[in-house]
Amino acid sequence: MSSALRFDVITVFPEVFEPVFAAGVVGRAIARGLLELHAHDLRAHTHDRHRQVDDVPYGGGPGMVLKPEPLFEAIEEVRAQNRGPVILLEPWGEPFTQRLARELAAEAGLVLVCGRYEGIDDRVRESLADREVSIGDYVLSGGELPAMVLIDAVARLVPGVLGAEESLAGDSFAADLLGHPQYTRPAEFRGLRVPEVLLSGNHREIEAWRQAQARRRTLARAGTPQQGEKR
Ligand code: ADE
């Protein structure tokens, strides 16, 4: 089967990806050959004694900017093995939504570039980036956490990654609705009871209750942007 989705991440902290994706759904999918994850050390693409990946900004100002040469070299090298879109993780990028996750899950590969410091030399964006993606309206200190969020959300949409028991059918967003409340045993805990309908064994009623609850949650969020909606 050659439908594995390949993620290549370019970062100054390649070591942070391994422990996060060693476990859980993504880790299992990698072990089963459904996903490939390669984290590349940007510093490996420096050729000076200090292995410098950043420099002061032209025009002055605080902070450091990621230099173009290591990024160009890293991206071009990765592109030889991964022809998927080059995505920069940036706070001003297009909003990451379930819709975008679905779109990206259809690719054979994704090349994710994590910014750091005050930013990256804009010639990288101009010449090599296919798109820029933001995971939300807040500023993080780098693109590593956003890349992990994107990888997780996209990976679980790849066919076969979720087992039958976790299938997407009842998933949040599967029917463009948010999820319904879930309960497990015991039926009563500290006086708090599981809704009677869930104990009834009546699957039609249970499904109707879940649909109604999911609709209620979705409507309660109507004031905040829904997936794919413009902000
Ligand atoms: N880098 C810093 N903040 C970010 C965000 N919110 N989304 C994507 N990349 C980022």
Side-chain angles (χ1 to χ4, degrees), residues 12 17 21 37 57 73 103 129 136 139 142 168 173 177 183 189 194 223:
V12 287
F17 287 83
F21 293 121
L37 175 59
E73 188 182 293
E103 191 183 323
V139 178
L168 288 170
F173 289 111
L177 285 176
Y183 300 88
F189 171 71
V194 170

Side-chain angles (χ1 to χ4, degrees), residues 88-93 115 133-144 146-147:
L88 306 190
L89 285 310
E90 296 285 8
W92 54 78
V133 171
S134 162
I135 65 159
D137 283 345
Y138 38 79
V139 178
L140 299 166
S141 41
E144 284 77 13

Side-chain angles (χ1 to χ4, degrees), residues 98 156-157 162 166-179:
Q98 192 67 18
R156 57 200 300 290
L157 300 178
L162 294 187
E166 313 152 310
S167 95
L168 288 170
D171 217 359
S172 223
F173 289 111
D176 287 342
L177 285 176
L178 298 172

Side-chain angles (χ1 to χ4, degrees), residues 37-127:
L37 175 59
H38 304 273
H40 305 271
D41 187 357
L42 184 60
R43 236 172 265 285
H45 297 277
T46 55
H47 302 285
D48 63 306
R49 215 151 46 86
H50 302 291
R51 309 186 80 203
Q52 197 178 342
V53 290
D54 57 349
D55 206 340
V56 296
Y58 271 120
M64 299 289 270
V65 175
L66 288 179
K67 290 157 62 66
E69 306 96 311
L71 280 164
F72 267 73
E73 188 182 293
I75 294 168
E76 283 167 359
E77 202 174 294
V78 161
R79 291 285 285 158
Q81 297 167 72
N82 185 338
R83 303 296 301 164
V86 175
I87 299 172
L88 306 190
L89 285 310
E90 296 285 8
W92 54 78
E94 63 181 301
F96 186 58
T97 59
Q98 192 67 18
R99 176 181 301 178
L100 180 51
R102 269 189 228 119
E103 191 183 323
L104 297 178
E107 299 280 356
L110 300 173
V111 179
L112 306 176
V113 181
C114 303
R116 272 274 144 190
Y117 312 102
E118 294 306 304
I120 71 179
D121 189 287
D122 210 56
R123 288 166 288 190
V124 176
R125 186 185 60 72
E126 255 171 55
S127 305

